[in-house]
Amino acid sequence: FQVGRVFLAGDSCHRFPPSGGHGQNTGVQDVHNLAWKIAAVLRGWASPALLDSYEEERFPVARYNADQSARNNKQMAEIEAALGMQPASPWATLGEYRRAMESL
């Protein structure tokens, strides 16, 4: 999520299915985590090394939220298919979803 002085947050570093609002929430949480750290460094309250904790803290949360969003998307597709609204999700497993997203 970081290269030198450049930090990525929200949709620039996450891919989520459009279900559950996890993408927007994760992005807001990313920025909150990063903003207080940048402020602390700029005000001299913390060492620049504090910024190195951003990815370590946010990546596991983003991964969990992406996985939960994929599960929600699959469950919604199954419900909609049962109601005759649309075909079920093309991803049978979370692993298939991850591989599809990583191939983009």
Side-chain angles (χ1 to χ4, degrees), residues 1-2 7-16 22-38 51 53-66:
F1 294 7
Q2 174 188 3
F7 292 87
L8 298 178
D11 289 349
S12 67
C13 59
H14 309 300
R15 288 177 267 187
F16 290 91
H22 293 286
Q24 183 176 2
N25 289 330
T26 303
V28 169
Q29 293 166 7
D30 287 347
V31 173
H32 181 267
N33 180 280
L34 193 54
W36 77 263
K37 291 177 181 181
I38 291 172
L51 297 170
S53 66
Y54 170 62
E55 182 171 353
E56 180 182 336
E57 292 175 0
R58 295 304 305 156
F59 183 81
V61 174
R63 183 63 175 249
Y64 175 83
N65 289 348

Side-chain angles (χ1 to χ4, degrees), residues 17 70 73-74 78 88-101:
N73 192 51
K74 185 175 185 309
E78 291 169 355
S89 173
W91 306 296
T93 67
L94 185 56
E96 288 179 16
Y97 169 77
R98 281 186 180 160
R99 284 188 291 280
M101 290 295 105

Side-chain angles (χ1 to χ4, degrees), residues 17 19 64 66-76 94:
S19 57
Y64 175 83
D67 290 349
Q68 185 61 40
S69 187
R71 282 189 288 275
N72 288 350
N73 192 51
K74 185 175 185 309
Q75 290 171 344
M76 289 302 300
L94 185 56

